[in-house]
Amino acid sequence: MIHPGTKKIYDQWQYNKFARLVETIPKNYGIKVVLTCGPGEVSQVQNIIKLSQDNQTTYIQTGLQELGAVTQGAKFVLCHNGGYMHLASALGTPVIALFGVVHPGTWKPLGEKDQVVYKNIECS
């Protein structure tokens, strides 16, 4: 699962990078990617789908309870630093967490299989 949404647009990973992952993951690992989004984030996933060359990509928009249920069945979740990152980690789903301007020292996910992607940029 890839959950590209964030309320902090200044801290959001670029759509074209998500689109490349949507194309690469199925080709290299043989697993399907499902994009997820919350209320008000549909345009974010639609932008990724438009940039992707993978015609199989789908997305779901759910509330938090349904998102948690879907997350439990995922092999892993890729998402920004935020509430969903902590939910996925607490549910035991491996998380690949993207950190931008916030340093992960305080807010990183705590699961044993969780990974943090962080580039120490000047404004962090």
Side-chain angles (χ1 to χ4, degrees):
M1 287 179 48
I2 296 178
H3 188 83
T6 181
K7 301 277 188 248
K8 303 172 195 164
I9 299 301
Y10 62 85
D11 201 22
Q12 187 173 39
W13 214 35
Q14 295 88 357
Y15 296 139
N16 64 325
K17 291 180 180 178
F18 281 118
R20 278 187 265 157
L21 287 175
V22 165
E23 296 166 358
T24 303
I25 291 171
K27 287 179 189 173
N28 292 353
Y29 302 100
I31 57 176
K32 183 176 176 148
V33 172
V34 175
L35 294 167
T36 60
C37 62
E41 297 175 342
V42 171
S43 65
Q44 295 173 6
V45 294
Q46 288 176 337
N47 285 330
I48 293 166
I49 291 171
K50 286 178 191 173
L51 292 169
S52 171
Q53 301 298 316
D54 182 351
N55 296 331
Q56 301 289 319
T57 305
T58 187
Y59 75 91
I60 56 174
Q61 178 187 14
T62 69
L64 191 57
Q65 192 169 16
E66 295 85 6
L67 183 59
V70 172
T71 298
Q72 287 183 305
K75 292 194 182 294
F76 68 90
V77 169
L78 175 81
C79 61
H80 292 99
N81 166 36
Y84 176 61
M85 172 193 73
H86 293 293
L87 172 65
S89 181
L91 290 172
T93 303
V95 173
I96 302 168
L98 303 172
F99 279 77
V101 298
V102 175
H103 191 278
T106 302
W107 297 107
K108 69 182 178 190
L110 301 176
E112 290 180 19
K113 296 180 181 180
D114 297 342
Q115 299 291 315
V116 170
V117 177
Y118 172 68
K119 182 176 181 181
N120 189 10
I121 54 179
E122 189 175 323
C123 62
S124 291

